[in-house]
Amino acid sequence: MYRTALRNVRVHKGRLLMTMLAVLFGTAFVAGTLIFSDSIGQSVKDSVSDSYSRISVQVTDTAVNTDPDSGAGQHTGARSPLTESTVRRIAALPGTRSARGTVTGFAGLSDPHGDLVGSRGNTRGANWVSSAGGQDPEYPMAQGTGPTSAGMIAIDRRTASDNGFKVGDTVRAAVNGPVLEMTVTGIFTTDDPRVRAGGSLVLFDTATAQRLYLEPGRYDNIQVVAKPGTSQNELRGEILPVVPHSGNITVKTGARLNADTAAQSRSSMSGMRNVLLAFAGIALFVGVFLIANTFTMLIAQRTRELALLRAIGASRRQITHSVLLEALLVGAGASVAGLVTGIGIGAALQGLMGSMGSHVSTSTPVVSPTTVLVTLLTGTMVTALAALPPALRASRVAPVAAMRGNDTPATHKSLVVRNSIGVALAGTGLALVLWGAVRGGSAGDLLVAGGAVSTLVGAFVLTPALSRPSIALAGLLCTWLFGISGTLARQNAVRNPRRTAATASALTVGITLISALTVLGASVTHAIDRQVTQNMRADYAVSTLLSLPVAPTLLPAIARTPGVAAYSAMDDQRLRTGGKDLSVTGVDAKSFDQLIVPNMVSGSTTALRRGEILVDQDHVVNDGWSVGSTVPVTYPDGDNGRLTVGGVYQNSEVLGSVLMSRSVLSPHTAAPFYSTVLVKGVTGATASLQQALKDSTGDNPLINVRTKQQMRDHFSSQISLLLDAMYALLAMAVIIAILGVVNTLALAVLERKREIGMLRAVGLHRSAVRRMVRLESVLIASFGAALGIAIGSFLAWAGVRLLSSAMTGLTTVFPYEQLAAYVAGAALVGLLAALWPARRAARLNVLDSIRTD
């Protein structure tokens, strides 16, 4: 029996090709994801290890630095207690060899074309610390000298080379305020991990860096090197008593920094890896339909062979093991090929990151034993499990079947049991989804998720019953348009409902997910678009790239811009109330009504002028607030106060949850965080005013001046970018579904070889045969897509109902043209998938096809 299995794989290798490709694609996706994440993680680990190799201990103030482990985060505006005095005290310790205070933060550097260097915001600024020899050992100068006064800057060698910067050039740089015209005094080398990852680094003199990022004489980090013979832990013990006593001060050894950064890297990569593996799982799930369909058809075509084996003494167990061995051989071979392909995919992803400016991913791909084992086991086991039902059916072939011809029509078994199970599963799923959508909340999420799975499984079980009437109805159009070819295509598509269902279901999975994403994306885009339209009277929004705040120094320039009728900076701050954070937005109460129009439920916007706050409906539901309620709060500076609710408005993603006057908020904040400045023009939105606002902000590469339409386009583009990424990941599942259509049709042509020969013998032209096979494919693909759109749209509706509590104005929007395009696209895919099987069917020899095997 084992020799028989080996022979069957060898003889039917062409028929098994599509199955092998499906397994190959799925396992390649898995292997490529694991290799890519392992390679990036190893690269980051190596890079960070090199970076901290010279640091024994680092002291960090986490209150001003949001990324303390790397010492390169954004600053919160708080006042750092790390001063020059702290550096001197640490430098005087017995175990200290050297101590340097550092200041780091974001720096927007313009390239020669005026665009921002590092579109992802990976241009950093730091301070150059001159030693006794006039050099900074951390940043050796390859050309020129380090900056020693305001107006001077040094640039890392790779950035200088990429942008053509030379010593003596004048460059434009900005933190978040006006653009600074700086002279390049030096070009340095560095092994900074962020620079090696594709970022850029510019150096200011220490006084300038402190003025830009903190305050004169203050640092966010102190890097300490131990004397020979002093361990990192011993030095840390000496440093702890001399640093300021604050819960925000951390003292970490270089080894701890390496370990924390490596853990952070693993954590950041795990999210992306899990997403990619989820889509790989979807691709493998779709492949299950192809594998099961292939083995079902191959077994049906070998009925006589299996019956003869039973007649000469083969047991049912031997037949089952024989078929499973074929599947294991196919799965193992395809998994090995998938592993090799996955190595290429992992390398390609690294190359893609390199082309996007990242240099961390230039290391050799890391192929761990775990990756090899997971890939081989996944592909082999998925193939074996998918082939198990056909193997069990093969074992039930009666010996008497050997006396029948292969072409004896198979009797249609009753689908009552299958349909009953499908109705129960689908009905339960629909009920759970409806219940969860109505209930909402976390419980509603679980109900909808469980209901979605039950609905999908039930739909798959019911697909044979659904396919007959649906395809028969659509087939009438084929008959009317294409005559006898259309009639034959319709009959072929419904003659074996189980096979048609398995072929269509593979496509249904992908279209379900794609259509659900499309409806959700359209609904969210419509809701945000309506909020921007309804809640905003401002003509322009001035903001900074990369979520940086607009500098307070820019406000007077905006106010003086000709044509500005009113403006208001939106100051985002966090207060504390009831033991939890309260996000508030400070606005100019005097100009508020000219710029913003919240949908008021109760109260009035004039409450802002009385020093009261406006809150959204979430606070009414969750906190029990209403007009007249008083809320005890703790301000960012530690002062306590009580705020009165003066109005309630509908939830808005644009406005935030709490609005209050800046005149009340500003005296209690350490530093403003102006996320946006809204501007109203005297004559509305004009191109001249937009240009004037750009000019007044210093033509800063960090500053965006958007019209209301551009704001809407900005939100829409973010959603579209996310959807495009999801569509690209789902493409693998669709490709495997297409392979399933090709494989099913190719095997069906072989199965109906005599039938096609008879049709040719009675006068059916080759062109009609080709048209028949193509139309059959189009009918199956269109049915699968239509079913997927129906299920996906329903699940998207439920998802919108769940999200509506978190996003006001969110309603289900069905982009009918796009959904119809999916059906048309599926029909086209079906047509293309049938080209080779149709050509093969038309080229069959009439006499050879009719002759009994």
Side-chain angles (χ1 to χ4, degrees):
M1 294 304 298
Y2 295 138
R3 286 196 297 269
T4 300
L6 293 173
R7 182 190 64 81
N8 285 331
V9 173
R10 185 173 62 254
V11 172
H12 298 130
K13 56 181 178 293
R15 304 184 190 185
L16 293 168
L17 177 62
M18 297 301 175
T19 298
M20 296 185 70
L21 286 176
V23 179
L24 186 153
F25 285 146
T27 53
F29 207 153
V30 173
T33 298
L34 295 175
I35 291 169
F36 173 66
S37 59
D38 288 345
S39 301
I40 297 300
Q42 186 62 45
S43 296
V44 172
K45 181 179 178 181
D46 294 343
S47 178
V48 170
S49 178
D50 292 341
S51 175
Y52 291 127
S53 62
R54 293 189 299 272
I55 299 176
S56 301
V57 178
Q58 178 169 284
V59 183
T60 303
D61 181 8
T62 58
V64 300
N65 195 328
T66 60
D67 191 4
D69 288 338
S70 69
Q74 297 304 325
H75 295 91
T76 63
R79 191 176 189 182
S80 174
L82 301 180
T83 63
E84 188 64 40
S85 174
T86 310
V87 176
R88 287 196 298 268
R89 288 198 300 271
I90 294 175
L93 293 173
T96 299
R97 178 181 177 182
S98 65
R100 56 178 284 149
T102 63
V103 184
T104 55
F106 174 78
L109 189 65
S110 292
D111 64 16
H113 305 288
D115 298 323
L116 184 66
V117 170
S119 58
R120 299 185 308 277
N122 51 5
T123 301
R124 294 193 304 116
N127 61 314
W128 187 77
V129 182
S130 176
S131 63
Q135 295 293 323
D136 187 342
E138 187 72 18
Y139 306 110
M141 287 294 160
Q143 301 176 32
T145 61
T148 56
S149 63
M152 295 182 178
I153 198 172
I155 302 174
D156 72 88
R157 183 163 57 184
R158 190 186 61 78
T159 301
S161 175
D162 291 347
N163 295 277
F165 295 137
K166 299 180 179 60
V167 174
D169 287 352
T170 298
V171 297
R172 303 172 73 245
V175 175
N176 66 339
V179 175
L180 306 172
E181 300 285 342
M182 313 289 285
T183 301
V184 178
T185 61
I187 296 173
F188 61 92
T189 60
T190 178
D191 58 4
D192 187 293
R194 300 202 177 202
V195 175
R196 293 173 60 179
S200 302
L201 179 64
V202 297
L203 300 178
F204 306 97
D205 67 283
T206 297
T208 300
Q210 289 173 331
R211 176 174 54 82
L212 291 175
Y213 297 120
L214 295 173
E215 293 180 2
R218 298 185 181 274
Y219 301 98
D220 54 18
N221 294 280
I222 300 175
Q223 297 175 348
V224 190
V225 178
K227 288 181 179 179
T230 302
S231 69
Q232 293 184 355
N233 288 326
E234 289 173 344
L235 179 59
R236 181 178 181 273
E238 293 180 6
I239 292 174
L240 284 173
V242 302
V243 298
H245 296 289
S246 168
N248 298 320
I249 300 297
T250 63
V251 183
K252 295 184 179 182
T253 64
R256 175 66 183 276
L257 290 170
N258 280 330
D260 288 351
T261 306
Q264 185 181 23
S265 173
R266 289 192 298 270
S267 176
S268 62
M269 289 299 300
S270 65
M272 181 177 66
R273 180 175 60 183
N274 292 338
V275 170
L276 292 175
L277 287 176
F279 282 94
I282 293 171
L284 286 170
F285 178 68
V286 172
V288 167
F289 292 96
L290 193 162
I291 297 166
N293 217 18
T294 300
F295 277 93
T296 298
M297 297 182 72
L298 287 176
I299 289 168
Q301 294 171 15
R302 287 157 44 196
T303 299
R304 175 179 291 178
E305 174 190 326
L306 294 173
L308 285 172
L309 290 172
R310 290 293 313 281
I312 63 176
S315 67
R316 287 187 173 184
R317 179 177 296 179
Q318 287 177 311
I319 296 294
T320 302
H321 288 176
S322 176
V323 176
L324 287 178
L325 179 59
E326 293 180 41
L328 288 172
L329 291 173
V330 170
S335 298
V336 171
L339 177 61
V340 175
T341 306
I343 295 173
I345 292 175
L349 289 173
Q350 287 180 272
L352 178 63
M353 287 193 66
S355 66
M356 295 171 62
S358 175
H359 295 268
V360 162
S361 56
T362 56
S363 65
T364 303
V366 176
V367 185
S368 67
T370 301
T371 297
V372 175
L373 185 63
V374 168
T375 302
L376 297 181
L377 284 179
T378 298
T380 304
M381 296 307 297
V382 165
T383 308
L385 291 174
L388 181 59
L392 294 175
R393 285 196 295 270
S395 69
R396 300 189 184 103
V397 175
V400 73
M403 295 182 290
R404 303 195 191 111
N406 282 347
D407 297 324
T408 302
T411 59
H412 292 286
K413 294 184 178 180
S414 173
L415 296 176
V416 173
V417 175
R418 176 169 181 157
N419 291 344
S420 299
I421 295 174
V423 169
L425 288 172
T428 302
L430 292 173
L432 289 175
V433 170
L434 292 173
W435 185 17
V438 172
R439 183 172 181 177
S442 58
D445 293 343
L446 295 175
L447 289 171
V448 170
V453 173
S454 182
T455 301
L456 279 173
V457 174
F460 293 150
V461 176
L462 283 173
T463 303
L466 297 173
S467 64
R468 292 183 68 89
S470 302
I471 293 179
L473 183 62
L476 295 176
L477 179 62
C478 291
T479 300
W480 180 64
L481 292 175
F482 302 103
I484 187 63
S485 295
T487 300
L488 292 171
R490 175 173 58 85
Q491 293 174 349
N492 289 333
V494 299
R495 70 162 60 180
N496 193 328
R498 289 183 177 87
R499 180 185 306 166
T500 298
T503 306
S505 295
L507 192 59
T508 298
V509 174
I511 298 298
T512 295
L513 296 174
I514 290 174
S515 58
L517 289 173
T518 300
V519 174
L520 283 172
S523 302
V524 173
T525 299
H526 179 264
I528 293 179
D529 181 81
R530 187 165 60 179
Q531 287 182 16
V532 172
T533 302
Q534 293 181 351
N535 296 149
M536 300 284 287
R537 282 180 178 164
D539 296 313
Y540 295 101
V542 181
S543 60
T544 306
L545 296 175
L546 312 170
S547 301
L548 295 169
V550 177
T553 54
L554 294 179
L555 296 186
I558 293 174
R560 291 193 300 267
T561 303
V564 172
Y567 78 97
S568 175
M570 312 288 281
D571 187 6
D572 294 339
Q573 298 288 341
R574 287 188 179 274
L575 281 60
R576 296 282 296 176
T577 180
K580 59 183 179 180
D581 286 339
L582 177 66
S583 298
V584 302
T585 301
V587 297
D588 184 347
K590 295 181 180 178
S591 60
F592 180 82
D593 289 333
Q594 296 177 265
L595 302 168
I596 301 174
V597 191
N599 295 320
M600 299 301 297
V601 177
S602 59
S604 171
T605 58
T606 57
L608 291 173
R609 300 183 183 181
R610 300 193 298 269
E612 298 174 348
I613 60 175
L614 306 180
V615 302
D616 65 13
Q617 289 178 300
D618 276 350
H619 288 294
V620 176
V621 175
N622 299 328
D623 302 313
W625 298 352
S626 60
V627 174
S629 298
T630 57
V631 181
V633 297
T634 301
Y635 291 102
D637 64 354
D639 287 350
N640 295 318
R642 301 186 70 85
L643 297 173
T644 302
V645 177
V648 178
Y649 57 89
Q650 291 183 1
N651 294 355
S652 172
E653 301 299 313
V654 175
L655 301 181
S657 63
V658 177
L659 299 172
M660 64 185 299
S661 173
R662 278 209 326 270
S663 63
V664 177
L665 179 63
S666 296
H668 300 287
T669 58
F673 191 99
Y674 296 144
S675 58
T676 306
V677 180
L678 300 179
V679 178
K680 181 74 174 177
V682 175
T683 58
T686 63
S688 59
L689 177 56
Q690 187 173 18
Q691 185 59 50
L693 288 170
K694 290 181 179 179
D695 294 339
S696 66
T697 54
D699 195 20
N700 192 322
L702 293 177
I703 299 296
N704 267 330
V705 180
R706 294 193 180 102
T707 63
K708 187 182 295 186
Q709 181 60 47
Q710 288 170 335
M711 281 188 278
R712 294 158 63 184
D713 293 343
H714 172 67
F715 288 121
S716 298
S717 65
Q718 291 179 318
I719 297 173
S720 298
L721 183 63
L722 177 61
L723 291 178
D724 289 344
M726 303 286 276
Y727 293 153
L729 293 172
L730 286 172
M732 185 67 71
V734 176
I735 291 173
I736 293 176
I738 295 170
L739 293 178
V741 176
V742 175
N743 204 39
T744 299
L745 292 174
L747 292 175
V749 167
L750 292 174
E751 188 179 79
R752 301 198 299 260
K753 185 177 179 180
R754 175 180 289 182
E755 176 186 317
I756 293 172
M758 291 295 294
L759 290 172
R760 292 278 289 114
V762 297
L764 193 67
H765 295 290
R766 287 184 174 180
S767 60
V769 172
R770 287 194 294 268
R771 190 180 305 118
M772 174 188 70
V773 177
R774 292 170 185 168
L775 289 174
E776 179 184 352
S777 177
V778 168
L779 285 172
I780 294 174
S782 300
F783 167 70
L787 182 61
I789 287 174
I791 298 173
S793 298
F794 172 69
L795 296 180
W797 168 84
V800 169
R801 287 294 301 266
L802 290 175
L803 292 173
S804 61
S805 60
M807 180 179 290
T808 299
L810 182 63
T811 57
T812 307
V813 176
F814 295 102
Y816 296 106
E817 293 182 358
Q818 196 168 351
L819 296 177
Y822 291 156
V823 178
L828 179 60
V829 164
L831 179 63
L832 296 175
L835 291 179
W836 176 66
R839 182 174 181 272
R840 186 175 186 181
R843 292 170 65 88
L844 289 175
N845 183 278
V846 176
L847 295 179
D848 290 342
S849 300
I850 296 174
R851 187 174 58 213
T852 303
D853 294 339

